[in-house]
Amino acid sequence: MSMQFIKLNDFYLAYETFGKKEHPPILLIQGSGAQGMLWPEQFCEELANNGYYVIHYDHRDTGQSFYTDYNKNPYQLKDLMEDAKLILDTLQLKKAHLIGSSMGGYIAQLFGIHYPERVSTLTLMMTSLLSISLEHAILGSNDPSPLPLPTQQLINSLLEIGPVPQTKEGLKNYMLSIWSAYNGKSIPFDTMRWDSLAKTWIARSKNLSASANHKFAVSASSFNRENELKKLQVPTLIIHGSIDPFFPIEHAYALQKAISSSSLMIVEKMGHLFQEAFIPIVMETLLPHLQQHDS
């Protein structure tokens, strides 16, 4: 594993790699407001040990990557897609497997729609064909949703957390509360592991509040990708938790219906958080999906 940077004038993205560059590449794309380190290190290492070159990165406005003034320089999901493409271009990777989680799934879908020749496979984890942010559920939206919005229990849990604290200890507890809410009624929340992750997350963040720009990018983007996805021919694996509180399971079925080249894996007792305990069961289906379509 090594931290590296792509730099273009004032624009820079931080990324880390696992495995050998001559192996088939996998680009991991995280969700809204998330740093690349949210991908479990064990997951990245297992993929590398199975013969893959694994890359994850910090989105703009997160972690070690560059930060923006959204009011002066607004962006959409397509711009975040171009960030992902820049990673592949810089590493001179003509094709890659793309694995996207939550908002990262939106980005992976757009990548498959706009650059199918660059994608070996798609894996869409805990995501949707709709560009939903929490604002749609809490504040309402001009776009009527044909699928269930985040559960009321999740919304209530997040509202109870309150405003973002200013102290490091307060920020850490705030993040733990959010992750616990996304875990929902899934398997027990591993507080010790996530506590350690939160401390590292805060230490490597230059401006934690800027990650909220992602929800603006989601809201500014096309709401429904169903029609575009119906034309998608990239081999696609959909992985979804049976009790995901952010994207109820209907979202997974809608994705499968829209993408004719897709298969669906439902992970029992998984919410909207990819805990290490789910890695073995996910790998059982993910590895054959990747290996079948290696160049």
Side-chain angles (χ1 to χ4, degrees), residues 11 13 29-30 32 57 59-61 66 68-85 103-104 106-108 110-111 114 131 143 212-225 228:
F11 175 102
L13 294 174
I29 310 174
Q30 256 306 333
S32 179
Y57 65 101
H59 289 296
R60 62 171 76 184
D61 287 327
F66 84 113
T68 61
D69 182 331
Y70 190 87
N71 291 325
K72 293 182 179 179
N73 298 291
Y75 58 87
Q76 300 182 14
L77 286 170
K78 285 184 179 180
D79 298 295
L80 295 175
M81 173 196 70
E82 292 294 340
D83 291 352
K85 180 175 177 290
M103 184 191 76
Y106 305 167
I107 296 168
L110 288 171
F111 205 117
H114 291 280
S131 295
D143 299 300
N213 289 340
H214 289 175
K215 65 185 178 184
F216 302 134
V218 171
S219 296
S221 303
S222 175
F223 182 64
N224 193 332
R225 290 176 294 278
E228 293 93 335

Side-chain angles (χ1 to χ4, degrees), residues 208-280:
L208 273 170
S209 62
S211 63
N213 289 340
H214 289 175
K215 65 185 178 184
F216 302 134
V218 171
S219 296
S221 303
S222 175
F223 182 64
N224 193 332
R225 290 176 294 278
E226 182 177 9
N227 290 334
E228 293 93 335
L229 289 172
K230 286 181 177 178
K231 303 172 186 175
L232 186 67
Q233 296 300 313
V234 176
T236 301
L237 172 63
I238 300 161
I239 300 175
H240 210 89
S242 64
I243 51 174
D244 189 322
F246 195 96
F247 293 119
I249 202 166
E250 289 88 347
H251 290 261
Y253 296 134
L255 260 180
Q256 183 185 29
K257 183 178 179 181
I259 305 173
S260 61
S261 56
S262 69
S263 58
L264 173 62
M265 175 192 188
I266 300 296
V267 182
E268 294 299 326
K269 298 183 179 179
M270 186 167 76
H272 197 69
L273 197 69
F274 187 30
Q275 295 214 61
E276 289 181 337
F278 296 114
I279 293 174

